[in-house]
Amino acid sequence: SPSPSHFPTLEEMAETLQLSGEQQEAIREVFSQSEARFKEWRKEIHKRFRSLRSRLLEDIKQVLNEDQKKQFDQMIEQMIEAFQSQRQKDRREREKDERQTDNKSRNQT
């Protein structure tokens, strides 16, 4: 049974709903089209966030003296490094979980 933490996969829907091959193909196409729309949406959101973040940083720097600006830049650099490190860790965990799920699925068949 699908986990409440994610949208049902095609495989989960096919099994639970007993989809025909034709229905599975149609849903696969819906997923594909949605994925393309999500990618475009994500690009636009990231672009807007970058713009807002840049503006925020510049506005804050307007208030700071030179020494404070240097310290602030270091703070931001550390924050970015920590964020990127956490993202990589999260990605590795997700990939590990996906491999384990795939292995469980294969072993059940």
Side-chain angles (χ1 to χ4, degrees), residues 74-108:
Q74 289 174 344
M75 288 173 64
I76 297 302
E77 186 64 34
Q78 289 171 349
M79 179 204 64
I80 290 169
E81 288 173 6
F83 174 76
Q84 288 173 338
S85 176
Q86 184 62 47
R87 241 174 114 182
Q88 288 174 345
K89 180 181 173 188
D90 292 347
R91 185 177 298 126
R92 284 192 299 270
E93 283 297 314
R94 263 194 321 275
E95 289 169 355
K96 179 182 171 188
D97 290 346
E98 288 170 2
R99 282 193 303 274
Q100 289 174 347
T101 301
D102 288 346
N103 288 338
K104 284 180 187 175
S105 296
R106 280 192 215 110
N107 291 337
Q108 290 176 354

Side-chain angles (χ1 to χ4, degrees), residues 6-22:
H6 74 276
F7 193 84
T9 64
L10 177 57
E11 291 78 18
E12 290 167 341
M13 286 189 281
E15 183 179 327
T16 302
L17 304 174
Q18 298 185 352
L19 300 175
S20 69
E22 189 175 303

Side-chain angles (χ1 to χ4, degrees), residues 6-94:
H6 74 276
F7 193 84
T9 64
L10 177 57
E11 291 78 18
E12 290 167 341
M13 286 189 281
E15 183 179 327
T16 302
L17 304 174
Q18 298 185 352
L19 300 175
S20 69
E22 189 175 303
Q23 288 174 311
Q24 289 181 50
E25 262 316 301
I27 291 172
R28 187 174 285 114
E29 181 60 28
V30 168
F31 277 152
S32 178
Q33 291 171 2
S34 291
E35 186 177 341
R37 287 191 295 265
F38 278 129
K39 280 183 180 179
E40 285 303 311
W41 179 80
R42 214 172 312 154
K43 279 185 200 175
E44 184 60 32
I45 294 298
H46 283 297
K47 182 178 164 186
R48 289 181 182 196
F49 273 129
R50 276 193 304 273
S51 176
L52 284 170
R53 201 168 27 245
S54 292
R55 175 74 185 266
L56 172 66
L57 294 174
E58 290 307 312
D59 288 349
I60 290 171
K61 285 181 178 185
Q62 295 295 319
V63 179
L64 305 177
N65 66 37
E66 289 306 311
D67 286 339
Q68 290 169 328
K69 286 179 187 179
K70 288 176 187 172
Q71 287 180 304
F72 180 68
D73 286 340
Q74 289 174 344
M75 288 173 64
I76 297 302
E77 186 64 34
Q78 289 171 349
M79 179 204 64
I80 290 169
E81 288 173 6
F83 174 76
Q84 288 173 338
S85 176
Q86 184 62 47
R87 241 174 114 182
Q88 288 174 345
K89 180 181 173 188
D90 292 347
R91 185 177 298 126
R92 284 192 299 270
E93 283 297 314
R94 263 194 321 275

